[in-house]
Amino acid sequence: MKPTISLNLYTLRDFVSNPEDFAETMEKLAGIGYKSVQISGVKGCTPQEILDITKANGLGISAAHIGMQDFEKDFDTQVEKLKLWNCKYVAIPSMPEEYRKDEASFIQFAKDASAIGEKLAAHGIILCYHNHSFEFVRFGDRNGLDIIYDESTPEYLQGEIDTYWIQHGGGCPTAYINKLAGRQPIIHYKDMVIRDGQQVFAEVGAGNLDWDSIVPATVAAGVEYLIVEQDVCPGDPFVSVKISYDNIASWGFE
């Protein structure tokens, strides 16, 4: 079964800060062709409003980003929200600062995240981890991202590989997709270009990432949702998310 195209709403965070703007944004995304969204960066809307507005526009909720601290502070509230949304996948958007000190800290994060994932699994929810590039700090023969996946319990901590940040850290997106085959239900599709000598974000398919290898690896790995994300857009973000959608759709997805 082919993955479904989704959009991480962090890309449109400036347009989802109240119910009225959220509704207008969902209507635009449905018009582009998106079938689902990932909840991240949304403010000023209740969980029920988010559900009602997405449903009214024919959109599902593919996943959500919820910080580790939020689970530790009020686990039951987070689970209630995810169940309301019929949201099976949730990702820790970034490892908290206190775990970034040394190898032992990375290992501890892997254990603590797995413990949260085990509690979520009892509710039918799968916990994933969204990487950036800071995880590519090396400790001997392993980098931090490898430590997270090597030292965690696969059943309770799965992957949400971010293709841009893997490349940014000096890794190979395709290699990590292959490594996490069967352990990565969601993925962030994000592209990169060089502008003025700097690595910057680009619309998916409009940059330099090797999509000819990334795309088939994604399908083979059993990914369920291809989640478009672009942290910074060069102009109108709605134009950017349409370019990304159209390019991915041209590869045979919807």
Side-chain angles (χ1 to χ4, degrees):
M1 183 174 178
K2 286 187 177 181
T4 299
I5 308 172
S6 188
L7 177 76
N8 184 17
L9 291 178
Y10 181 78
T11 305
L12 301 174
R13 57 196 176 276
D14 295 333
F15 304 91
V16 289
S17 58
N18 59 66
E20 293 76 18
D21 288 351
F22 187 81
E24 183 178 347
T25 295
M26 295 307 100
E27 183 178 2
K28 289 180 179 179
L29 292 179
I32 289 170
Y34 285 97
K35 302 296 190 299
S36 66
V37 293
Q38 180 178 39
I39 305 301
S40 178
V42 179
K43 298 178 181 178
C45 300
T46 67
Q48 187 65 53
E49 286 171 334
I50 289 171
L51 176 65
D52 291 344
I53 293 169
T54 51
K55 285 182 68 176
N57 287 280
L59 297 168
I61 296 176
S62 59
H65 272 182
I66 296 178
M68 192 170 180
Q69 302 93 328
D70 294 316
F71 281 118
E72 293 169 341
K73 181 172 63 177
D74 196 349
F75 180 84
D76 291 342
T77 297
Q78 305 308 325
V79 168
E80 181 181 353
K81 177 171 61 178
L82 291 166
K83 286 185 174 181
L84 173 69
W85 293 339
N86 193 29
C87 181
K88 183 179 179 181
Y89 304 118
V90 61
I92 296 171
S94 187
M95 182 167 65
E97 291 281 350
E98 60 265 28
Y99 289 105
R100 305 182 193 183
K101 295 178 292 186
D102 51 30
E103 182 177 13
S105 299
F106 272 78
I107 292 173
Q108 189 61 52
F109 171 77
K111 304 303 182 188
D112 291 348
S114 293
I116 294 172
E118 184 173 9
K119 289 175 64 179
L120 287 169
H123 297 275
I125 298 168
I126 294 174
L127 181 65
C128 304
Y129 179 68
H130 171 261
N131 67 276
H132 291 81
S133 59
F134 68 81
E135 297 94 341
F136 281 83
V137 59
R138 293 199 70 80
F139 302 103
D141 61 353
R142 294 192 296 177
N143 65 51
L145 190 60
D146 289 335
I147 289 171
I148 290 171
Y149 287 118
D150 291 348
E151 302 292 340
S152 57
T153 306
E155 182 180 357
Y156 300 134
L157 187 66
Q158 301 195 16
E160 183 184 44
I161 287 298
D162 185 300
T163 57
Y164 175 97
W165 288 118
I166 293 288
Q167 191 81 38
H168 188 273
C172 172
T174 301
Y176 273 91
I177 294 167
N178 290 335
K179 177 176 180 174
L180 294 177
R183 189 185 175 180
Q184 182 180 221
I186 55 179
I187 187 171
H188 273 187
Y189 266 21
K190 186 187 300 182
D191 214 336
M192 174 192 291
V193 292
I194 302 300
R195 187 173 296 128
D196 298 325
Q198 301 296 316
Q199 297 163 305
V200 298
F201 305 101
E203 294 78 13
V204 177
N208 297 326
L209 266 62
D210 183 10
W211 297 105
D212 286 342
S213 67
I214 292 172
V215 170
T218 300
V219 175
V223 173
E224 188 171 341
Y225 291 102
L226 315 176
I227 303 175
V228 172
E229 184 182 32
Q230 190 167 345
D231 299 35
V232 180
C233 301
D236 183 345
F238 289 98
V239 172
S240 288
V241 300
K242 185 179 188 308
I243 291 170
S244 291
Y245 179 89
D246 289 346
N247 284 341
I248 298 173
S250 75
W251 301 336
F253 302 102
E254 61 180 29

